[in-house]
Amino acid sequence: EAQVTQNPRYLITVTGKKLTVTCSQNMNHEYMSWYRQDPGLGLRQIYYSMNVEVTDKGDVPEGYKVSRKEKRNFPLILESPSPNQTSLYFCASSPGSTNTEAFFGQGTRLTVV
Amino acid sequence: EDQVTQSPEALRLQEGESSSLNCSYTVSGLRGLFWYRQDPGKGPEFLFTLYSAGEEKEKERLKATLTKKESFLHITAPKPEDSATYLCAVHFYNTDKLIFGTGTRLQVFP
């Protein structure tokens, strides 16, 4: 089954404790991206990757890192999480560029206390 | 600044009561406009892509249309299972990013 898989689905952590949210897709898509979704603000793009070893900042990249060492994986790293990073996070992949339909993961609900 | 605005924020319909959702955008060159459906606790699910003014796409009770400044998602004779949040996203010419609106939360009552 074609899918985007994120782990974990739920995470509660403390301020400053480094964490990684994994994202993997099995559709051989080139384009992958991370979003956060907050009430009243909608989905905002954090980082995106056009292909392996190519990443770029989205609208809200501060406090986040990403890497794209393999085509299928695109982990999101929070080096020193803060409470304002409490949010619902989605990973997405697309077959081509931004201008094609995106497939989203199920989401990761992160709480930083 | 490129911006995407959806209205209304929330919409309550009786089953069978047709209506439309709106997505308007400030224009700096549109490459594509996307509609997604999002159910509570789930990731957005792709519905339609529109690329040029005058284009229309249909799927079951949903029909998406596009003009130079806005897109409409028409829902004909909705059913309770159509209840969800509908998101609009725009890809502008001068960026590789996708900009989302804040969505319209649709509730359809039997």
Side-chain angles (χ1 to χ4, degrees), chain B residues 8-56:
Chain B
E9 286 188 19
L11 183 62
R12 292 165 57 101
L13 297 174
Q14 202 72 35
E15 184 172 4
E17 180 187 2
S18 301
S19 188
S20 296
L21 282 55
N22 177 263
C23 172
S24 63
Y25 51 92
T26 56
V27 177
S28 65
L30 176 77
R31 293 186 71 177
L33 185 142
F34 303 81
W35 282 99
Y36 289 85
R37 168 191 172 128
Q38 186 175 23
D39 293 298
K42 295 191 174 182
E45 178 184 338
F46 172 78
L47 291 173
F48 303 109
T49 308
L50 301 165
Y51 292 108
S52 56
E55 191 174 358
E56 298 182 351

Side-chain angles (χ1 to χ4, degrees), chain A residues 32-100:
Chain A
M32 296 186 74
S33 57
W34 276 102
Y35 295 87
R36 61 178 288 174
Q37 188 173 37
D38 302 288
L41 296 176
L43 277 161
R44 293 179 293 166
Q45 194 172 46
I46 302 170
Y47 269 95
Y48 63 95
S49 169
M50 303 278 285
N51 213 325
V52 175
E53 301 294 358
V54 180
T55 62
D56 211 341
K57 295 177 181 179
D59 293 315
V60 288
E62 294 77 23
Y64 304 94
K65 285 176 58 178
V66 293
S67 69
R68 188 92 182 271
K69 293 184 171 58
E70 308 164 278
K71 199 170 188 178
R72 63 183 292 126
N73 296 322
F74 191 45
L76 179 70
I77 303 156
L78 285 73
E79 294 270 4
S80 183
S82 62
N84 64 11
Q85 292 179 297
T86 292
S87 187
L88 179 58
Y89 291 86
F90 288 101
C91 178
S93 72
S94 304
S97 70
T98 315
N99 217 30
T100 54

Side-chain angles (χ1 to χ4, degrees), chain A residues 97-113:
Chain A
S97 70
T98 315
N99 217 30
T100 54
E101 65 179 273
F103 294 80
F104 283 81
Q106 289 289 77
T108 295
R109 186 166 292 281
L110 172 66
T111 302
V112 183
V113 298

